[in-house]
Amino acid sequence: MPAHLINRKERRARDARRGRLGESRYNLLVRELARVIRMAFEAGDTGSLFGLEGPLRAGIRSDLCRQGWGWLTADLCARDLLDDAFRVVRAVRPTWDQGQPEWTIEAGTLIERTRCARRGCGRKLPEGHYKFCSRLCASSHQKSIEYLREASDQRALDIAVQRL
């Protein structure tokens, strides 16, 4: 199916979810969410404007489910509400790379590791090794990172959730 038809179909589904809430209620919720997000960030309660995204999405989804909405529809509506609230506060979502712990490490800063950094391994690092215990672990870690980077947003989210 061509991309413009998929986008049109997604837009119609989003508009239907918004319509179910009612335009004025939807807009009021977006403004209120934006106010809460901005207030928490300015007070230093969150490290970024996205700091409350998880709890807010879960709370909205929960309330909608209690009102009789199906889980998936409630989750998508909560996502739409938060996306619009983030637009109101002009939040710019970081790239995937920027969200990784390594991104915040300044050039020249060393992390002293004693265990292999590959998920699931955790063996002690042999002498002369600083991040991975073997070439196999380093290669495996690199392949998993490449796989995540090449995955679609939804697939990457599915992979991350499976690893929890």
Side-chain angles (χ1 to χ4, degrees):
M1 184 180 295
H4 70 282
L5 292 179
I6 293 171
N7 290 338
R8 186 180 301 158
K9 184 178 176 183
E10 288 175 2
R11 194 169 35 253
R12 284 183 183 151
R14 184 189 65 227
D15 291 344
R17 288 189 298 273
R18 287 180 182 176
R20 188 168 173 189
L21 275 176
E23 185 177 352
S24 61
R25 181 176 176 209
Y26 184 90
N27 292 333
L28 177 69
L29 286 169
V30 167
R31 284 193 308 273
E32 189 62 22
L33 286 167
R35 186 184 67 76
V36 167
I37 290 167
R38 188 177 295 119
M39 188 172 61
F41 179 64
E42 289 173 355
D45 294 333
T46 59
S48 81
L49 291 169
F50 298 100
L52 292 176
E53 184 176 17
L56 288 173
R57 185 169 175 170
I60 295 164
R61 180 179 57 233
S62 174
D63 287 346
L64 293 174
C65 285
R66 279 183 272 186
Q67 294 172 24
W69 291 50
W71 190 94
L72 180 60
T73 307
D75 186 58
L76 293 173
C77 187
R79 181 198 63 194
D80 294 343
L81 282 163
L82 285 167
D83 284 348
D84 286 341
F86 290 133
R87 270 191 282 283
V88 168
V89 296
R90 294 187 175 112
V92 178
R93 192 172 293 280
T95 65
W96 187 88
D97 284 328
Q98 291 168 335
Q100 303 311 301
E102 293 85 10
W103 187 267
T104 61
I105 299 168
E106 296 178 23
T109 304
L110 295 177
I111 298 175
E112 187 174 341
R113 295 182 187 274
T114 58
R115 301 276 178 187
C116 182
R118 184 177 142 238
R119 186 181 171 276
C121 178
R123 283 188 272 170
K124 282 189 104 174
L125 292 177
E127 187 70 32
H129 291 248
Y130 300 103
K131 188 169 183 178
F132 301 103
C133 64
S134 66
R135 284 189 176 148
L136 178 64
C137 278
S139 175
S140 175
H141 177 77
Q142 185 61 34
K143 287 290 182 195
S144 67
I145 296 298
E146 287 175 20
Y147 181 66
L148 277 172
R149 285 182 179 159
E150 293 172 1
S152 67
D153 287 345
Q154 185 58 48
R155 181 66 188 133
L157 181 61
D158 292 343
I159 293 166
V161 168
Q162 287 173 353
R163 290 183 176 184
L164 292 178

